[in-house]
């Protein structure tokens, strides 16, 4: 392995490690926003998605996403080309080890599915969620990942996805395949599942410090998410990281400004939400815009997503943790803004409307958005509807009222002080009885 490939491999392993932390970050981010009775269930949905999707990725996912396109159509990779992840143990000369690329992309698949969980928090059967996660990964994510992330080989021996190679839309790290895909799927699943019993009077987040900690962990992991998508330790990764940071700062400022104007205060939940909205928006654009363009992307996403999340009450649509308002809307904005702000000096080297490129890139971005929206919504709705008819996907009313932590998992997230106080007398009595028994035994031994 030459030095350049070794450096690229080291960077990809570091990026993989950063992205892996996003699993726990998402569990904390979502877990802090739900009620105390459902926080463990939220974490279990995240880790459950990782487990199910991870197994499927090893067996067939990598091949379906990155295998040679069936029939050269750009719709799906050959699921048997790398079946069982065969052929990933050796690295071609002068190329990244395919094993690290597969591991990196496995996390993309798992996190995309996990994002959907936020839309249906507090009311979905855990077993049904795991089945849904597997079906959705196979029928929706793997094909769309092939469309967006699989590129034709230079020698023409391998055909990739139609969005990346024929349409030539730009999506550096997953605005379409990850965020639009998850956001519109969340909308379809909510329509089938229905609103929570208490909607629109949703419970307040039970732990905003947990949510802020989760947002910080996601922020850290996102540098690996975007920077690692360059697949090399070079200028592209560096620009992606800088643009990701710039957009994040602008997104927080924009969300808090809108919040202050509308509600008279700037909140910690708003800061965390503005950060995530900006990160979503810059994900597809981090290799296509300048740092000033990244500020615009972050600010637009922060402001617009802040205005959008409240629409669920007008529409009577219970998107529990604003997956639609942040990931769908932010993903659409970030993808389309490439067509306006694309800077030919950036690594993707595309010119948007404001840089003299006319509408050429904008229409390509729009077609990519519409294609993912349509495919993901229709297939997700069909999956959810069939599951609803066959096995049911919604928890019963009593369990929903009690909270899923106890009803489904038999656990509570916290041992409350009142519980500890209530059990203290019993524990003290046991200790006294044990001490008396030891004393009696000692006296008996002395007498003997």
């Amino acid at each position: 392995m030459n030095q350049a490939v070794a450096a690229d491999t080291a960077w990809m392993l570091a990026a993989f490690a950063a992205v892996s932390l996003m699993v726990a970050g998402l569990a904390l981010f979502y877990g802090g926003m739900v009620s105390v009775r459902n926080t463990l269930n939220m974490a279990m949905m995240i880790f459950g998605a990782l487990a199910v999707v991870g197994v499927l990725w090893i067996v067939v996912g990598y091949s379906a996403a990155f295998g040679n396109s069936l029939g050269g159509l750009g719709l799906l990779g050959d699921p048997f080309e790398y079946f069982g992840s065969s052929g990933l143990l050796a690295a071609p000369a002068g190329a990244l080890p395919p094993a690290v690329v597969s591991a990196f992309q496995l996390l993309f698949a798992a996190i995309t599915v996990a994002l959907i969980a936020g839309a249906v928090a507090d009311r979905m059967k855990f077993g049904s969620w795991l089945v849904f996660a597997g079906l959705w990964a196979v029928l929706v994510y793997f094909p769309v990942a092939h469309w967006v992330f699989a590129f034709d080989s230079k020698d023409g021996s391998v055909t990739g996805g139609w969005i990346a190679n024929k349409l030539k839309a730009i999506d550096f790290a997953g605005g379409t395949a990850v965020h639009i895909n998850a956001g519109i799927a969340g909308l379809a699943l909510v329509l089938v599942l229905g609103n929570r019993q208490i909607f629109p009077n949703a419970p307040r987040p039970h732990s905003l410090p947990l949510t802020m900690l989760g947002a910080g962990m996601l922020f850290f992991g996102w540098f690996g998410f975007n920077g690692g998508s360059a697949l090399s330790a070079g200028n592209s990764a560096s620009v992606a990281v800088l643009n990701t940071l710039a957009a994040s700062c602008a997104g927080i400022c924009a969300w808090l400004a809108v919040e202050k104007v509308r509600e008279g205060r700037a909140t910690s939940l708003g800061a965390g939400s503005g950060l995530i909205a900006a990160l979503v928006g810059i994900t597809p654009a981090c290799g296509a815009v300048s740092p000033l363009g990244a500020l615009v992307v972050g600010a637009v996403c922060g402001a617009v997503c802040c205005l959008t999340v409240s629409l669920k009450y007008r529409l009577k649509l219970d998107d529990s943790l604003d997956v639609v308002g942040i990931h769908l809307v932010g993903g659409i904005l970030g993808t389309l803004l490439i067509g306006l702000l694309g800077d030919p000096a950036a690594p993707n080297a595309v010119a948007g409307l404001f840089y003299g490129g006319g509408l050429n890139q904008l229409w390509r971005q729009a077609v990519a958005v519409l294609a993912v929206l349509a495919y993901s919504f229709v297939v997700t709705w069909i999956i959810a509807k069939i599951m609803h008819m066959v096995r049911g996907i919604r928890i019963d009313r009593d369990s929903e009222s009690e909270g899923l932590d106890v009803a489904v998992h038999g656990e509570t997230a916290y041992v409350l002080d009142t519980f500890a106080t209530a059990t203290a007398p019993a524990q003290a009595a046991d200790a006294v009885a044990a001490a008396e028994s030891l004393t009696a035994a000692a006296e008996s031994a002395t007498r003997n």
Side-chain angles (χ1 to χ4, degrees):
M1 182 180 291
N2 61 44
Q3 291 184 348
V5 174
D8 292 342
T9 302
W11 164 239
M12 289 304 301
L13 289 170
F16 163 80
V19 176
S20 69
L21 192 63
M22 295 176 75
V23 177
L26 185 61
L28 292 176
F29 183 71
Y30 278 172
M33 285 196 285
V34 297
S35 74
V36 70
R37 298 174 300 171
N38 293 313
T39 186
L40 288 178
N41 175 255
M42 196 73 260
M44 285 292 288
M45 292 179 80
I46 304 304
F47 280 87
L50 170 66
V52 171
V53 176
V55 170
L56 291 171
W57 182 268
I58 293 298
V59 175
V60 73
Y62 178 83
S63 192
F66 292 98
N68 195 9
S69 188
L70 291 172
L73 299 176
L75 298 177
L76 182 68
D78 183 352
F80 298 105
E81 183 176 357
Y82 299 103
F83 186 80
S85 295
S86 60
L88 302 186
L89 301 183
L96 274 176
V100 73
V101 176
S102 179
F104 184 68
Q105 288 292 335
L106 185 158
L107 292 176
F108 273 55
I111 289 170
T112 303
V113 177
L115 288 174
I116 303 171
V120 295
D122 303 344
R123 60 197 187 278
M124 189 169 182
K125 292 180 179 179
F126 183 65
S128 295
W129 164 252
L130 295 181
V131 173
F132 171 83
L135 291 173
W136 192 85
V138 171
L139 299 177
V140 180
Y141 182 80
F142 296 166
V144 174
H146 182 72
W147 300 356
V148 175
F149 294 142
F151 289 90
D152 296 343
S153 62
K154 293 181 179 179
D155 61 6
S157 61
V158 176
T159 301
W162 72 274
I163 286 180
N165 302 284
K166 297 178 181 178
L167 182 62
K168 298 189 182 301
I170 300 299
D171 187 348
F172 195 87
T176 53
V178 176
H179 298 292
I180 294 175
N181 206 3
I184 195 64
L187 174 60
L189 191 53
V190 166
L191 291 174
V192 175
L193 195 63
N195 297 344
R196 287 171 290 184
Q197 297 177 48
I198 58 175
F199 185 80
N201 301 311
R204 297 180 63 185
H206 90 276
S207 179
L208 288 173
L210 276 188
T211 295
M212 292 294 284
L213 175 61
M217 292 170 68
L218 289 170
F219 181 48
F220 173 82
W222 227 293
F223 291 111
F225 198 91
N226 287 356
S229 294
L231 300 180
S232 65
N235 184 63
S236 293
S238 302
V239 172
V241 165
L242 176 59
N243 283 341
T244 300
L245 180 59
S248 301
C249 297
I252 296 173
C253 292
W255 189 296
L256 293 181
V258 172
E259 201 173 45
K260 178 67 175 178
V261 171
R262 296 183 72 195
E263 302 176 18
R265 58 185 182 274
T267 67
S268 60
L269 182 59
S273 299
L275 170 64
I276 302 303
L279 288 168
V280 169
I282 199 60
T283 293
C286 58
V289 300
S290 67
L292 284 177
L295 291 178
V296 174
V297 171
V300 169
C301 290
V304 174
C305 289
C306 182
L307 295 170
T308 302
V309 293
S310 61
L311 292 178
K312 66 182 181 182
Y313 298 108
R314 296 185 184 180
L315 299 175
K316 298 181 180 179
L317 181 72
D318 190 8
D319 170 23
S320 303
L321 305 183
D322 300 320
V323 175
V324 177
I326 292 179
H327 292 277
L328 176 59
V329 174
I332 291 173
L333 288 172
T335 303
L336 293 179
L337 284 171
I338 295 172
L340 301 177
L341 301 171
D343 187 338
N348 286 137
V350 296
L353 178 64
F354 299 159
Y355 285 79
L359 299 176
N360 180 58
Q361 194 61 43
L362 182 59
W363 76 262
R364 299 177 190 276
Q365 301 301 120
V367 170
V369 167
L370 292 173
V372 175
L373 283 174
Y375 179 79
S376 183
F377 179 84
V378 171
V379 178
T380 304
W381 188 88
I382 291 173
I383 294 171
K385 198 67 175 178
I386 292 175
M387 287 187 61
H388 178 66
M389 293 187 295
V390 171
R391 57 170 289 143
I393 57 176
R394 178 149 186 169
I395 202 77
D396 63 86
R397 294 179 64 87
D398 290 343
S399 296
E400 185 178 338
S401 299
E402 180 184 1
L404 277 67
D405 286 2
V406 172
V408 176
H409 306 291
E411 299 174 300
T412 57
Y414 306 99
V415 178
L416 303 177
D417 290 342
T418 53
F419 177 76
T421 302
T423 58
Q427 294 170 342
D430 290 341
V432 170
E436 290 175 346
S437 177
L438 289 172
T439 300
E443 291 174 350
S444 175
T446 300
R447 286 193 298 269
N448 293 333

